Each structure stands twice: as structure tokens, then as C-alpha cells.
Amino acid sequence: MDAMWKEQSKNALSEAERQPPAHAYSGRSVRVHPGRVGEAIRNLDLTLARNRVRYYLRLQQRHEKRGEKLRRLKSERWRKQFANEVRKKVQLVTKIRSRGA
């Protein structure tokens, strides 16, 4: 693990960037500058949304039966695949329109 960090941090600019995360919650920390608490809260909110922390917290509040979990995961996979296909179609249409068709 240490060798991996050393390899990745050869081109790092500062000593702080060369250190591995202190603990599991380091990636969800936000630096708060004096008088800019609102900005820090927004940054933390974006980080939590990007990491889907609230989503997983909501899932862990109650036990989920195995069948329900499998159904949910299947639905999530389908939605992700569908969104990807729609995205590809939209890109294709935009590409065709930009050619002047």
C-alpha cells in the first residue's frame, strides 16, 4: 500500500498531497475558510451527493429482504443502462444536426 502511494505521489506538488488519507472520512471533509461557512456547506453537500452517502444511509436504516434487494439492484442497473442509451442517442442526434441534416 505504501509503495502505491509513493508511486502515485512522485509528481505531487506539496507534502500534504503526498500523505495518504488520515482516515476513512478524509474524502468527505471540507476546508472551512473564515466567513465562508455557507460555501463550505455547499461543497460538503456536493461531495456527499457525489459519493451517494445519503442514499446508502437511507438504505441501511431498515433491513431489506434479499428478493427486494435483487429487484432494486436490477432496476438500478436497468435505469443506468437506459440513461446511457438515451445519452448516446442524444449525442448521435446532435452530431447529425451539427452536420446540417
Side-chain angles (χ1 to χ4, degrees), residues 22-81:
H23 48 76
Y25 300 103
S26 293
R28 297 179 186 146
S29 301
V30 176
R31 189 177 304 267
V32 180
H33 299 287
R36 299 168 80 180
V37 177
E39 182 181 331
I41 290 174
R42 279 191 299 276
N43 289 340
L44 180 62
D45 193 40
L46 286 172
T47 303
L48 292 175
R50 194 177 317 116
N51 292 339
R52 301 179 73 187
V53 174
R54 290 189 191 99
Y55 172 74
Y56 290 119
L57 179 68
R58 186 182 58 79
L59 284 179
Q60 292 176 1
Q61 285 178 347
R62 288 189 163 78
H63 173 72
E64 187 177 25
K65 290 183 181 178
R66 183 172 184 268
E68 291 174 357
K69 180 179 179 180
L70 292 176
R71 196 176 312 123
R72 176 182 55 82
L73 291 174
K74 183 179 177 181
S75 172
E76 287 176 3
R77 283 191 300 267
W78 170 253
R79 287 171 188 239
K80 188 175 181 179
Q81 186 179 9

